[in-house]
Amino acid sequence: MTNTRLRTILAVLLATAMIAAVSSLIGCTTDGDGDGEKTTETIKVGVHTSLTGGLADYGFAAQEGIKLAGDDLTGFEAGDKKYEIELVIKDDKGEPAESPIVAQQLIDEGVVAVIGALTSGNTNSAQPIYAEAGIPMISGSATRADLVPRENFFRTCVGDNIQGKALADWCVELGFEKVAIMDDRGDYAVGLADVVEGHLTDAGVEVLREAGQEGDTDFSAQVAKIQAFAPDAVMFTGYHREAGLLYKQCREAGMADVQFMGGDGIKSDEIADEAGGAANVEGVLATIGGIPQDSMAGWEDFKTAYMEATDKEPGPYAETNHDALVAIVEAIKKGESADPADILKNLSDVEVNGVIGTFGFDANGEFEAMGGSAGLATIVRYKIENGAWVSAD
Amino acid sequence: MTFEHVFRLTMSGLTVGMIYALIALGYTMVYGVLEFINFAHGEIFTIGGYIAITTLVWAGVDSDTSAGVLIGYFIMAVAVSVLLTALLGWLVERIAYRPLRGASRIIPLLSAIGVSIFLQNLIILTWGPEAIVVPTAIVPSQVVVMFGVPIRVLALIIIGVSVVLMAILTYIIRSTRIGKAMRATSQDMEAAEMMGIETNRTIAFTFIIGSALAAIGGFLVAMYYGSLKFDTGFLYGLKAFTAAVLGGIGNIPGAVVGSLLLGLVENYGVGMKLGGLAWFFVAGLALGLYTQTIRVPGRRRRHIRDEIRTPAYERRIVNVYRFPIPNALKVALGPRTDALVSVSARHSLRLAAGNLFLAVMAILFFLNHDSQFATMWQHAISFSVLVLVLMFRPSGILGEHIQEKV
Amino acid sequence: MQEKTGVWATARRFFGRVPRWAYALAALALAISVPLLEQADLIQTVWLRLGIRSLVYVLLAMGLNVVMGETGLLNLGYIAFFAVGSYTTAIFSSPRLGYHVDFWILLLASTGLAMLAGLLIGLPTLRLRGDYLAIVTLGFGEITRITFNNWESVTNGPGGIPQIYRPMILGLKIDKPGEFYYLVLIFVVLVAIMLTNLKSSRVGRAWNALREDEIAAEHSGIHGTSLKLLSMVISAGIAGLAGCLFAYYQQFINPTYFEFLQSVLVVCMVVLGGMGSIPGAIAGAALLDALPEFIRQAFSRWLPDLLGEQTMDSLPVAVQNFFIEFDRYRMLIVGLVIVVMVIFRPEGILPDSLWRREVREEDPREVEKTRQKLFDFDEGHQDLEA
């Protein structure tokens, strides 16, 4: 698989080299005409992600998505220049204390823009440093509601506030009167759960908030409390492993009719195994930010390319990270300059044609639909049917 | 609060408690023999589980495997895991602890912490940072209904297996040569050595037994919950240590009692309303006041005399709260006992502080009887138990007299 | 006694002859030069940031060294005091609750609150013996972290507190990495001087006496409990100070900074450097925090530049990957370092003489003789010439 990628990269390099050679040749022969020759400039784009640590899977998917975009776009033209993209990939290990160091490394490398960080915590601890250096950052996966607005931060994923409201709306639509919400005391899960709880309480739904620790295996006390509360739905806002354990233990305790729900952290194919069999997760509902992958403008091509490069299905947030690089390139094209300050300025009014559709950024740095992609920043509903995730709309 | 709710909490508390007990026994045996906290024991437990699961996956069991063959595979997996884990426990003792025997107290503990970190990262490098999942097809999923509450058969198996293992362990320690050697070593290592006991071999045996129990615990946890993660053992280890301290470290029945109690405390603590919990404080206060106010004229006077005569550092030894279970029973039966209740001013102060704490907690809980702890405080409750026990009663419930070797 | 010969022994004699303050000055000069080198574009800015983080760890290691190295009380929840300092600063100097308190007040408040926490934790627990104390402090450390994680109305829970204001000191706004570096360095130097004086004072010697033999020390008239409490409070205060500076520098904190592994890391720094040794604590912190990055940079950048790609490629791939991905093995090696150090070199890399004697159980007179030899200029000089 590395070979394929290597070959792709080599082919791209060879092609650009040939084009450069030919163009310079043309430039020589048609000396005096003045046009046709474009100076080539190499720009570095930072990839600030977590390749080791607990969220390494997400980091890998993000990295591969960005690499695909880099291979596609390198050698683009803006104004009278041609730009080669060089990706500088750095790993912050998922530790917020490491994140500022990685940020500084990328700045030292002379990147013009950064894609990342992977998580909200690491974005929070790196953002001041990028801001100081005037470098824009676009994250494809940092969803925490209080991250926006910041002077240099944009994102191509849906924030927790939007997803939380969608989850709450879904509960109301289904007519639930009592909902148990559980989080894993982590950054992402608590942020999402807070938003859901707020909206549900406003809508007059009775809420029970419970929590387990990420990495815990035993949720028996929580399950007993949930059972005593007798809710219509049990929602877990963290990641799939603990979600699977919770759903399994709920079923085993005899909650046969309760509806399980969750955010995008639980939408993984591993949840069935982790819940002790597909029967325990049949009918689980989950929301994901963005449009359904199947109806994304460039999804099929992206999936094919991704699988060719990695032999895997595209992981979570691969496409949003891919589009972050597309957005940076659009901003350079628009301003005809690869200066960080210009990119930062132009990012707020670009129109990006990415895998997820056509979008731009609003004043806060959240992405918003443009052109034909109505409803881009909405939420998609998924459901497990016969052991597989399908769209529930 | 219905009966079912409390029964549910009780059953889950007992199941978790039994798992704690399997780990706590390892802590407590090592402590009994060496007076040393084997901090890496939690990781040994995790590795035991990982090895068993890997063996099962490697053997290729799936839903088509017939029940008899499956049981054969289970036995094989447990055997492999117990053997390898016991070997690991022995290696750790041999490499990281034995060279430090006789060093000052915190040095071996540091080494144990190092081993713990090392093993945790070894698991990450070998099996990856993600959780490994037990093939769901092989986990028995039968359920029995007791008092209207569905209980997993596996939970009953865990309780049964733990009880059998503890019976075997008690037999080994009570009635075999090596058990006698262990007891002798734990009482006085030098004297045991002089009597011809090979203390090094005895200690190694202690580590092997503890690791084997932990491996079985790891396997049971993996089967019960369906997955294991590299840091699973860290928290289980800490909780089990808490349980061992609660029961009285160095005391084998104490480890079991403490584990069950901790399992119940954890589940009742977040599962019951404060009004229900307050009664536990009331009961504790009543028992405490009763035992503290019993008059034991003769013994008491002698104690006071003893204390005046002994120098300060020895008096501290005397003051360590000492209250083994037979004495507790005697006290409960009536005032005509010879229970040892030491009476120095500092000790009385500590008892008073403890009583005051219980009373204040009971009142606070009664005042807020309708609210309850959120489950996000569950781990904090366990850690509080650890801290409070160590502060007010370091010898635990069934603790023997703590020997301060000076 | 026969003088040892050979390169190692000669080097030892030679370096042993250089007075200690010369080493301290050299280290200080090196530390001061980092931002200057960065200004001159000789090194990348990232080294400055690594330097600041290492200096914060140096403060922590020196602080833990007081209680663990000098007094012999193992504290496994040390990072909780750091957390108290960090959160005090973050809460009162960020948009979170709308406070913007002055730097100096917060510095004092962070240190003071951490000291108070040390007092409250120390009072009921210090009569416990070494290993029990370690576990109790571990319990307190975890309770503190869980509390900060769950107390959402004030600490914003796991989301953490972002956008902490930059400090204003004497009308100067500190916001460049270089300025922060010097700010932390000043405090490191102040704390180091304070602790060096304390070490050789009556209090410091009493601590060492308590570490070596508590009973004997108490019989010599040392009030064990209050002195232990003092060491706990001082070490907590240093952690609070470090926490304050760290929060200002990082501008964002959340509970994941204060996990148990961080406490272990600081413990490892002290063990590696040498218990009871201030230079040891400094060296241990700098080594453990910055060395992994050094190794990674060296193998991915400097060595290929220096030796050429070909030489590097001739190394086995596994070896190259090991060094380039050194971070993956960092904690594994931290664990290994602790075990190896306590078994083979319990006195650490820059040992404190008293502690070395204690762990090596050497005859003090022998040690004194060797010391005299090591520090005897003339004799060593002749040796070198011969």
Side-chain angles (χ1 to χ4, degrees):
Chain A
M1 59 183 190
T2 327
N3 259 340
T4 330
R5 202 163 68 227
L6 208 67
R7 230 176 285 147
T8 322
I9 295 170
L10 274 179
V12 169
L13 284 179
L14 212 69
T16 36
M18 274 167 68
I19 291 167
V22 169
S23 64
S24 68
L25 216 70
I26 294 168
C28 282
T29 47
T30 58
D31 197 11
D33 280 8
D35 56 19
E37 185 180 359
K38 295 199 170 185
T39 47
T40 306
E41 192 182 324
T42 304
I43 53 165
K44 290 180 174 175
V45 176
V47 179
H48 182 148
T49 188
S50 312
L51 297 170
T52 47
L55 294 173
D57 287 357
Y58 289 75
F60 176 78
Q63 171 191 295
E64 292 305 315
I66 298 166
K67 274 187 185 164
L68 282 180
D71 291 348
D72 272 357
L73 294 169
T74 187
F76 71 94
E77 296 176 4
D80 53 359
K81 275 187 188 165
K82 242 172 89 104
Y83 292 98
E84 300 280 334
I85 300 173
E86 185 189 336
L87 293 175
V88 186
I89 299 170
K90 295 275 178 192
D91 170 26
D92 65 17
K93 293 177 250 166
E95 291 172 15
E98 194 66 25
S99 192
I101 308 280
V102 166
Q104 190 64 52
Q105 278 176 337
L106 288 173
I107 294 170
D108 288 348
E109 293 270 351
V111 298
V112 295
V114 167
I115 304 170
L118 192 68
T119 60
S120 302
N122 287 4
T123 305
N124 253 325
S125 61
Q127 183 264 338
I129 292 165
Y130 289 126
E132 211 169 273
I135 290 174
M137 59 194 295
I138 308 183
S139 175
S141 51
T143 57
R144 210 175 154 85
D146 56 12
L147 272 175
V148 290
R150 304 277 170 91
E151 61 210 280
N152 63 335
F153 180 73
F154 303 86
R155 62 180 165 202
T156 53
C157 51
V158 179
D160 288 344
N161 38 357
I162 301 173
Q163 188 180 173
K165 183 163 187 320
L167 269 171
D169 288 348
W170 203 358
C171 289
V172 174
E173 259 174 53
L174 293 171
F176 295 149
E177 281 162 5
K178 288 166 116 184
V179 176
I181 306 175
M182 184 152 139
D183 59 65
D184 64 7
R185 298 320 296 161
D187 186 2
Y188 160 69
V190 174
L192 186 56
D194 284 349
V195 179
V196 179
E197 188 186 3
H199 283 296
L200 280 181
T201 317
D202 288 347
V205 177
E206 204 182 332
V207 173
L208 176 77
R209 255 313 265 287
E210 293 298 329
Q213 203 82 31
E214 202 190 334
D216 272 4
T217 45
D218 182 65
F219 296 126
S220 47
Q222 287 87 338
V223 170
K225 273 174 101 168
I226 290 172
Q227 202 162 15
F229 178 69
D232 300 311
V234 174
M235 187 185 296
F236 188 79
T237 56
Y239 298 101
H240 50 85
R241 174 179 181 250
E242 287 79 15
L245 284 166
L246 175 72
Y247 299 159
K248 172 178 182 233
Q249 290 172 31
C250 279
R251 286 279 187 254
E252 283 161 1
M255 281 187 258
D257 303 326
V258 72
Q259 175 68 54
F260 295 137
M261 301 178 81
D264 51 3
I266 72 161
K267 194 194 160 274
S268 155
D269 292 334
E270 286 159 41
I271 192 170
D273 283 338
E274 282 154 343
N280 284 340
V281 288
E282 187 63 25
V284 168
L285 306 177
T287 52
I288 300 272
I291 48 172
Q293 288 174 329
D294 304 337
S295 46
M296 279 179 188
W299 178 251
E300 282 310 319
D301 294 345
F302 176 72
K303 187 175 166 184
T304 317
Y306 189 97
M307 289 184 67
E308 208 166 278
T310 63
D311 282 349
K312 286 181 186 167
E313 289 265 324
Y317 295 117
E319 70 278 4
T320 53
N321 276 291
H322 173 279
D323 286 3
L325 184 55
V326 183
I328 291 168
V329 168
E330 281 305 320
I332 296 173
K333 279 184 185 163
K334 189 168 182 74
E336 297 183 1
S337 150
D339 188 57
D342 292 331
I343 299 177
L344 185 55
K345 197 174 73 211
N346 289 315
L347 267 176
S348 26
D349 45 34
V350 285
E351 189 177 316
V352 187
N353 275 304
V355 173
I356 54 174
T358 308
F359 66 91
F361 295 102
D362 67 9
N364 284 339
E366 300 267 25
F367 76 141
E368 58 181 0
M370 290 175 93
S373 310
L376 179 72
T378 54
I379 296 290
V380 206
R381 295 166 174 185
Y382 282 95
K383 177 178 195 173
I384 296 187
E385 236 173 55
N386 301 322
W389 288 102
V390 293
S391 172
D393 282 314
Chain B
M1 211 179 320
T2 57
F3 171 74
E4 269 110 56
H5 186 59
V6 178
F7 182 68
R8 215 171 263 141
L9 291 173
T10 313
M11 281 312 288
S12 53
L14 290 180
T15 315
V16 174
M18 279 300 179
I19 293 165
Y20 289 160
L22 287 178
I23 313 170
L25 284 170
Y27 276 112
T28 222
M29 285 195 304
V30 168
Y31 196 90
V33 173
L34 279 180
E35 301 213 344
F36 154 69
I37 300 170
N38 181 11
F39 205 82
H41 196 60
E43 272 63 46
I44 295 205
F45 154 86
T46 321
I47 290 180
Y50 265 97
I51 292 176
I53 302 308
T54 314
T55 316
L56 280 178
V57 171
W58 175 78
V61 287
D62 52 32
S63 47
D64 299 335
T65 319
S66 68
V69 180
L70 202 58
I71 289 174
Y73 275 130
F74 279 151
I75 292 172
M76 180 190 76
V78 171
V80 170
S81 156
V82 162
L83 279 178
L84 290 180
T85 314
L87 181 72
L88 179 71
W90 177 76
L91 271 179
V92 166
E93 193 272 333
R94 185 71 194 79
I95 295 170
Y97 303 153
R98 195 180 292 181
L100 297 172
R101 207 165 290 153
S104 82
R105 205 170 261 289
I106 63 172
I107 298 292
L109 181 62
L110 282 175
S111 181
I113 292 171
V115 172
S116 160
I117 304 287
F118 177 81
L119 289 180
Q120 223 180 73
N121 284 276
L122 201 64
I123 299 173
I124 298 180
L125 288 175
T126 320
W127 283 285
E130 292 291 307
I132 62 160
V133 176
V134 182
T136 48
I138 62 170
V139 180
S141 56
Q142 291 84 347
V143 163
V144 286
V145 179
M146 291 163 79
F147 304 108
V149 175
I151 306 285
R152 287 181 71 188
V153 172
L154 206 50
L156 301 177
I157 293 177
I158 287 180
I159 296 177
V161 168
S162 308
V163 170
V164 170
L165 285 175
M166 282 160 210
I168 295 175
L169 184 69
T170 316
Y171 170 77
I172 291 178
I173 288 174
R174 284 252 174 94
S175 321
T176 59
R177 277 182 72 86
I178 189 86
K180 272 180 203 160
M182 275 169 70
R183 278 183 289 147
T185 313
S186 81
Q187 266 177 14
D188 191 331
M189 200 189 296
E190 275 177 27
E193 208 156 327
M194 275 183 245
M195 304 308 268
I197 292 171
E198 281 187 56
T199 46
N200 271 341
R201 243 178 67 191
T202 315
I203 291 166
F205 181 75
T206 312
F207 273 87
I208 286 169
I209 291 268
S211 304
L213 285 176
I216 296 172
F219 174 69
L220 290 175
V221 163
M223 291 299 283
Y224 190 64
Y225 297 112
S227 69
L228 268 185
K229 220 175 153 187
F230 70 94
D231 56 358
T232 308
F234 178 73
L235 208 59
Y236 271 102
L238 267 183
K239 298 260 182 85
F241 178 77
T242 307
V245 171
L246 182 64
I249 195 152
N251 181 320
I252 285 170
V256 180
V257 172
S259 299
L260 296 180
L261 210 57
L262 185 74
L264 291 176
V265 164
E266 268 186 0
N267 279 277
Y268 287 155
V270 292
M272 283 169 77
K273 293 218 161 97
L274 294 192
L277 291 178
W279 289 108
F280 290 98
F281 288 103
V282 172
L285 188 63
L287 189 72
L289 284 177
Y290 178 61
T291 51
Q292 286 155 24
T293 49
I294 289 168
R295 291 232 156 253
V296 204
R299 281 308 280 261
R300 192 163 178 163
R301 221 176 294 128
R302 214 180 75 209
H303 253 259
I304 295 171
R305 262 207 323 273
D306 281 352
E307 281 179 19
I308 292 168
R309 260 194 252 120
T310 46
Y313 65 92
E314 276 179 27
R315 199 157 68 224
R316 255 195 349 188
I317 302 167
V318 177
N319 281 351
V320 173
Y321 198 10
R322 178 179 168 181
F323 210 66
I325 195 77
N327 285 342
L329 284 175
K330 281 183 205 163
V331 169
L333 289 174
R336 266 179 294 165
T337 75
D338 55 358
L340 297 169
V341 183
S342 56
V343 284
S344 77
R346 230 165 113 195
H347 186 214
S348 315
L349 205 70
R350 217 161 81 217
L351 287 181
N355 292 339
L356 192 70
F357 172 78
L358 289 175
V360 168
M361 289 304 269
I363 292 168
L364 277 180
F365 278 26
F366 272 127
L367 286 179
N368 303 298
H369 58 92
D370 254 348
S371 44
Q372 61 189 134
F373 280 116
T375 34
M376 64 184 179
W377 295 102
Q378 193 175 26
H379 296 307
I381 288 176
S382 310
F383 287 122
S384 305
V385 168
L386 175 68
V387 167
L388 288 174
V389 169
L390 282 179
M391 262 159 48
F392 288 108
R393 198 182 157 80
S395 54
I397 305 168
L398 302 187
E400 291 157 24
H401 175 78
I402 287 191
Q403 291 166 349
E404 292 218 11
K405 288 194 174 158
V406 287
Chain C
M1 210 170 108
Q2 186 70 39
E3 273 292 344
K4 281 185 189 159
T5 50
V7 183
W8 182 239
T10 318
R12 256 182 94 131
R13 269 198 298 283
F14 178 74
F15 287 111
R17 238 178 289 126
V18 182
R20 280 210 153 181
W21 55 262
Y23 284 121
L25 275 187
L28 188 62
L30 183 71
I32 289 176
S33 67
V34 172
L36 301 177
L37 288 174
E38 190 262 340
Q39 208 73 57
D41 268 342
L42 287 171
I43 53 171
Q44 291 180 320
T45 318
V46 66
W47 293 108
L48 213 50
R49 294 213 183 260
L50 270 174
I52 299 172
R53 202 177 66 182
S54 297
L55 284 177
V56 171
Y57 274 117
V58 165
L59 272 178
L60 285 175
M62 286 197 299
L64 183 64
N65 183 44
V66 171
V67 76
M68 183 178 146
E70 306 282 1
T71 326
L73 307 166
L74 183 50
N75 186 343
L76 286 182
Y78 189 60
I79 215 72
F81 304 126
F82 184 63
V84 169
S86 291
Y87 267 104
T88 310
T89 302
I91 290 165
F92 290 101
S93 179
S94 70
R96 168 95 191 114
L97 297 180
Y99 296 107
H100 191 166
V101 182
D102 184 59
F103 170 78
W104 293 108
I105 298 175
L106 275 185
L107 191 78
L108 286 179
S110 304
T111 315
L113 279 178
M115 285 168 114
L116 189 69
L119 188 75
L120 288 181
I121 293 174
L123 262 178
T125 56
L126 277 180
R127 52 185 187 76
L128 293 171
R129 234 176 21 202
D131 42 1
Y132 273 116
L133 181 76
I135 299 292
V136 168
T137 47
L138 192 166
F140 269 117
E142 284 297 289
I143 291 173
T144 312
R145 188 183 60 80
I146 294 173
T147 307
F148 282 131
N149 205 16
N150 288 348
W151 195 10
E152 283 180 49
S153 58
V154 174
T155 64
N156 197 21
I161 302 181
Q163 293 174 302
I164 298 167
Y165 300 123
R166 292 299 195 185
M168 293 282 282
I169 301 172
L170 308 173
L172 276 172
K173 193 175 186 193
I174 307 283
D175 55 1
K176 297 271 178 302
E179 296 163 352
F180 261 107
Y181 184 90
Y182 281 125
L183 178 70
V184 184
L185 184 62
I186 288 170
F187 280 102
V188 168
V189 171
L190 286 179
V191 168
I193 292 172
M194 184 193 90
L195 291 181
T196 314
N197 285 338
L198 206 58
K199 188 177 165 64
S200 50
S201 73
R202 276 174 67 91
V203 174
R205 281 177 284 137
W207 284 341
N208 289 351
L210 281 170
R211 180 187 68 200
E212 307 215 338
D213 191 337
E214 200 179 326
I215 308 293
E218 292 207 335
H219 274 253
S220 328
I222 291 170
H223 195 277
T225 314
S226 56
L227 273 163
K228 281 184 189 171
L229 207 55
L230 184 68
S231 91
M232 187 94 164
V233 167
I234 288 179
S235 100
I238 295 171
L241 173 82
C244 170
L245 296 174
F246 181 73
Y248 270 126
Y249 160 66
Q250 192 88 356
Q251 289 189 290
F252 168 72
I253 56 165
N254 71 10
T256 54
Y257 288 109
F258 312 112
E259 278 169 1
F260 171 66
L261 273 185
Q262 296 292 320
S263 287
V264 172
L265 199 62
V266 183
V267 166
C268 183
M269 287 166 182
V270 176
V271 172
L272 179 67
M275 301 233 284
S277 153
I278 294 169
I282 296 171
L287 270 182
L288 272 188
D289 190 51
L291 196 64
E293 186 59 27
F294 258 108
I295 292 176
R296 212 176 57 77
Q297 288 266 1
F299 273 82
S300 60
R301 184 171 309 212
W302 300 331
L303 280 183
D305 283 358
L306 209 67
L307 304 173
E309 294 281 349
Q310 256 113 42
T311 332
M312 288 303 287
D313 286 343
S314 64
L315 279 174
V317 180
V319 175
Q320 284 185 46
N321 281 346
F322 174 76
F323 285 106
I324 290 172
E325 298 176 3
F326 190 73
D327 281 333
R328 284 182 60 197
Y329 307 99
R330 191 172 76 131
M331 283 320 278
L332 187 85
I333 288 166
V334 163
L336 209 58
V337 160
I338 300 184
V339 178
V340 169
M341 287 302 284
V342 294
I343 292 177
F344 294 107
R345 203 178 158 81
E347 71 269 31
I349 50 173
L350 292 178
D352 171 57
S353 55
L354 202 62
W355 176 246
R356 174 163 62 192
R357 241 179 288 157
E358 193 187 326
V359 292
R360 289 282 178 201
E361 287 175 357
E362 285 166 358
D363 183 1
R365 281 164 302 179
E366 278 297 312
V367 174
E368 208 41 52
K369 256 192 242 162
T370 341
R371 273 179 70 93
Q372 262 171 14
K373 279 222 180 77
L374 279 175
F375 288 97
D376 195 322
F377 271 63
D378 295 334
E379 198 186 322
H381 206 62
Q382 284 161 7
D383 245 48
L384 208 66
E385 280 171 359

